[in-house]
Amino acid sequence: MLKSLKIKNYKLFKHFEISFVDSGNNPLNLVVLAGINGSGKTTILEYIANNFDSVVYLKAKEQNSQNLQKEIVRYIKFLIFKKGLSGKEAYKIISKKIGSIFEGFDFEIKFSGLDEDENIYFENALGKEIAIESLSTGEKELLEKVFYLFVADIQDSIVLIDEPEISLHPSWQNRIVKIYKNLATQNNNQIIIATHSPHIVASTPNESLRVLVKEEHTIKVVSADAYGMQVNKALTDIMGVEELRDIELIQELKKAIKCK
């Protein structure tokens, strides 16, 4: 696990240092990087991916359905040929695993099975069998990133996740940190997340949150007491949003007030 990172000269970082430890100097198994656009969150992930071993990097908007399919097939074969289960029993275990991981997510799909070409299928709330490509973008995001990490049994690694909030409903964003925290604890991983989501920021324990701030020609890391914060406050105080309402609307309101 990383305890700290020093970057001397990489893109916008010249003399930069960030700590990944808790108050007892122990490496954190979950770190969340937050900040405005251009503050270097993704650049830090890229630097780690290019300079360290045992790294899994899940990029923003990158489709991972082929890797997910491969790992589900591998896991099913393990259950059948190593554990001696039937195909039906293996399918039930996969479906139960999805249900336990995403408990509370209103995740209305179940694993259905494989076809002869080892393509994976799911069953939706209407009982219809559908391919992964037909799932909602939010469902695919959770399966291709979160469930993939569980079923692939990734251990003793640094896992980098860029913008895990993409396509996720705010209620799902509120819960995603806890799932990644559990994954990190169970498999001895260190998970580092870069996010724009105030929901993720507000659900991150303070010791795990690192806020990147642009200051003149440099980037600094500041701490923040954001855990449990209301979303609007997280937007203004942590994410640097100056106005929560439409700017043009605010200008029109100001003009209307002046005319009175």
Side-chain angles (χ1 to χ4, degrees):
M1 292 188 181
L2 291 176
K3 295 187 72 171
S4 64
L5 179 68
K6 294 181 180 179
I7 305 177
K8 289 185 178 180
N9 189 19
Y10 183 75
K11 295 187 177 180
L12 72 164
F13 294 108
K14 304 305 177 185
H15 299 283
F16 176 81
E17 184 172 359
I18 184 171
S19 167
F20 296 139
V21 297
D22 60 19
S23 57
N25 201 39
N26 302 304
L28 291 160
N29 60 9
L30 175 72
V31 177
V32 174
L33 307 176
I36 65 173
N37 287 333
S39 58
K41 300 182 298 297
T42 299
T43 302
I44 290 176
L45 300 189
E46 291 175 351
Y47 185 87
I48 295 172
N50 292 333
N51 290 278
F52 293 89
D53 298 323
S54 300
V55 173
V56 177
Y57 186 12
L58 301 182
K59 299 179 181 179
K61 301 180 182 179
E62 183 178 55
Q63 291 187 332
N64 198 37
S65 57
Q66 289 186 345
N67 287 337
L68 174 64
Q69 177 170 306
K70 176 183 175 182
E71 291 302 331
I72 288 180
V73 170
R74 181 197 60 78
Y75 188 61
I76 288 174
K77 287 181 176 179
F78 168 78
L79 293 174
I80 293 174
F81 298 113
K82 297 294 183 181
K83 295 295 184 179
L85 302 181
S86 68
K88 187 175 182 180
E89 289 171 329
Y91 293 172
K92 283 184 178 179
I93 288 177
I94 292 282
S95 192
K96 185 177 180 180
K97 198 173 185 72
I98 291 174
S100 64
I101 292 171
F102 300 115
E103 184 179 359
F105 274 69
D106 296 324
F107 211 52
E108 297 183 340
I109 62 169
K110 295 185 290 185
F111 181 75
S112 177
L114 308 174
D115 65 14
E116 59 183 8
D117 297 317
E118 297 185 341
N119 297 308
I120 59 177
Y121 288 87
F122 296 86
E123 183 180 300
N124 63 16
L126 300 176
K128 182 180 179 182
E129 191 175 73
I130 56 176
I132 190 170
E133 291 77 13
S134 299
L135 298 175
S136 72
T137 52
E139 290 168 339
K140 284 191 290 186
E141 183 73 13
L142 287 177
L143 287 172
E144 292 177 0
K145 287 188 176 176
V146 182
F147 189 61
Y148 163 75
L149 292 173
F150 276 93
V151 77
D153 197 28
I154 294 170
Q155 300 184 22
D156 307 314
S157 299
I158 299 170
V159 180
L160 312 173
I161 307 170
D162 196 10
E163 298 183 29
E165 68 271 15
I166 290 178
S167 302
L168 298 189
H169 188 275
S171 64
W172 288 6
Q173 294 178 35
N174 284 334
R175 293 177 171 87
I176 201 70
V177 170
K178 185 176 180 180
I179 290 181
Y180 282 130
K181 177 75 172 176
N182 290 340
L183 174 63
T185 302
Q186 290 176 23
N187 290 356
N188 193 39
N189 294 316
Q190 184 178 47
I191 296 181
I192 303 175
I193 295 170
T195 184
H196 291 107
S197 167
H199 299 85
I200 290 178
V201 167
S203 59
T204 299
N206 292 332
E207 68 174 6
S208 292
L209 182 62
R210 303 291 185 270
V211 181
L212 304 179
V213 178
K214 296 174 71 174
E215 216 171 82
E216 294 183 354
H217 301 295
T218 187
I219 304 293
K220 291 189 175 182
V221 184
V222 298
S223 59
D225 186 8
Y227 187 60
M229 183 180 285
Q230 292 186 352
V231 172
N232 284 355
K233 191 169 178 59
L235 279 169
T236 55
D237 293 8
I238 308 300
M239 309 305 293
V241 176
E242 295 181 0
E243 295 289 353
L244 296 175
R245 294 183 294 179
D246 180 77
I247 294 177
E248 292 184 0
L249 174 61
I250 292 173
Q251 292 174 343
E252 290 298 322
L253 289 172
K254 288 180 178 178
K255 289 179 182 179
I257 292 172
K258 286 182 179 181
C259 291
K260 287 185 178 181

